[in-house]
Amino acid sequence: MKKEDLADLAVFLAVAEERNFTRAAARLGLSQSAVSHTMRRLEASIGVKLLNRSSRHVSTTEPGEKLLAKLRPGLDQIAAQIEELRVQGNTPSGLLRITASKAAIRHILWPVVTGLVRDYPGIRVELSSEGRLTDLAEDRFDCGIRLEEFLAPDVIAVPVGPPARMAAVAAPDYLAHRGIPRHPADLADHACMGTRFDPHGTVYAWEFEKDGEEIIRRVDGPFIVNDSDLAIAAAREGHGIAFVTEAEVAADLAAGRLHRVLEDWCPPFGGMHLYYPGRRQVSSALRLLIDRLRWRG
């Protein structure tokens, strides 16, 4: 293998994980054109197409996926060793300010940050649980965690969880009394819990998709909240239908407290991502957090 191929493989790993040339370039500190050129050079050197490219998405081909499976563990070990050497002489410390939804803090962030502060006593973590998409620079946060679809295009985003699905759920008694919606249009006859993420914004419209048909429904009901936990609680008490992520109601569905409706209209989409400003210097503490949170499934 040529010496330059080793560096090119690191670029391939970044593109494959980010699924986007722009985000990969920001992660590597390169221009998008340089990343594109590197990938063309690597594919020409190997003689195999590694990536499928479209106007919006990048995905690995079957040979690319096989290479990624072999490549990732080795480069992860190298990166971990380099980080270990780096922190021996410059132990990460300081305050990390993080904004995330309550669900993201509970299911994704908390198990990781508790280990982080134990391993590095010089690191302190401030958590702010908000439903709205926060302006990191204005509110002086180092990073945030949100669903991919809510992120601005100018941030660097790192996946920290598997693909997500929305779930429309209601209590069994409510559905027995009001009937089961079979199509998103049927929601016009149902009480639905609204969500307003920004106090100055509009109520979130529910999005559905099936067989290539996309439907956006504006709903109405007895409650408008900015916290999915409240929407779920209202649904449990029989006030109507809540529209939240599948992970948030997994226990309720398993226990039968809530039943799912319109499941065939809720396809998977990009899950939780940690995001931070693209032009910002990443501290060693934030880099450690990213490395520990990064989804590698």
Side-chain angles (χ1 to χ4, degrees):
M1 174 179 284
K2 301 174 185 176
K3 187 192 303 184
E4 59 266 24
D5 285 346
L6 292 174
D8 292 353
L9 286 171
V11 174
F12 165 65
L13 177 63
V15 174
E17 289 183 340
E18 300 293 346
R19 303 179 199 176
N20 181 282
F21 280 102
T22 302
R23 290 199 297 267
R27 171 175 157 184
L28 295 166
L30 301 172
S31 67
Q32 183 176 341
S33 61
V35 170
S36 298
H37 175 74
T38 298
M39 286 311 309
R40 289 194 297 270
R41 180 176 64 203
L42 179 62
E43 288 175 326
S45 175
I46 297 176
V48 174
K49 184 179 180 182
L50 300 174
L51 298 173
N52 291 314
R53 302 160 173 83
S54 70
S55 58
R56 296 183 62 186
H57 300 287
V58 176
S59 62
T60 50
T61 62
E62 184 177 350
E65 195 63 32
K66 290 180 180 178
L67 176 60
L68 185 63
K70 297 290 185 181
L71 180 65
R72 181 183 280 141
L75 288 182
D76 282 349
Q77 289 178 11
I78 293 171
Q81 184 63 45
I82 291 173
E83 185 62 35
E84 183 178 335
L85 293 172
R86 179 183 295 122
V87 300
Q88 284 175 358
N90 180 25
T91 303
S93 62
L95 176 65
L96 271 179
R97 303 189 71 239
I98 308 168
T99 173
S101 65
K102 287 184 178 179
I105 291 175
R106 184 167 57 245
H107 297 297
I108 296 174
L109 193 55
W110 185 251
V112 172
V113 295
T114 54
L116 190 68
V117 298
R118 275 196 298 266
D119 294 342
Y120 298 93
I123 294 178
R124 294 178 299 135
V125 177
E126 179 180 341
L127 301 175
S128 176
S129 59
E130 298 187 66
R132 68 187 179 95
L133 185 62
T134 304
D135 185 316
L136 299 181
E138 181 179 341
D139 295 329
R140 297 182 294 107
F141 285 104
D142 295 290
C143 66
I145 296 179
R146 292 290 185 274
L147 289 170
E148 183 183 31
E149 64 177 288
F150 294 125
L151 300 183
D154 59 343
V155 300
I156 296 176
V158 178
V160 295
R165 290 183 72 193
M166 298 301 292
V169 296
D173 289 347
Y174 171 87
L175 295 174
H177 177 65
R178 297 288 295 270
I180 299 174
R182 307 291 181 184
H183 187 277
D186 298 339
L187 294 174
D189 300 322
H190 284 268
C192 300
M193 260 51 76
T195 305
R196 195 192 307 271
F197 296 108
D198 187 320
H200 304 293
T202 59
V203 176
Y204 171 65
W206 295 6
E207 301 176 34
F208 299 94
E209 183 181 346
K210 181 181 178 181
D211 298 331
E213 180 184 5
E214 297 182 7
I215 295 177
I216 298 177
R217 293 291 308 181
R218 297 204 172 275
V219 298
D220 191 24
F223 292 106
I224 297 174
V225 300
N226 70 344
D227 185 336
S228 58
D229 284 348
L230 294 175
I232 294 167
R236 284 197 206 104
E237 295 179 18
H239 291 291
I241 301 173
F243 195 57
V244 295
T245 59
E246 191 176 55
E248 294 176 275
V249 289
D252 287 302
L253 293 173
R257 291 186 292 268
L258 294 172
H259 287 178
R260 192 166 185 172
V261 299
L262 301 173
E263 183 173 1
D264 56 335
W265 283 91
C266 299
F269 60 95
M272 288 290 183
H273 282 61
L274 179 147
Y275 66 103
Y276 58 95
R279 294 185 177 87
R280 182 169 184 163
Q281 181 76 21
V282 178
S283 68
S284 57
L286 179 54
R287 177 55 60 193
L288 276 173
L289 177 65
I290 293 170
D291 289 342
R292 293 193 178 195
L293 282 175
R294 186 186 299 277
W295 174 254
R296 296 179 170 89

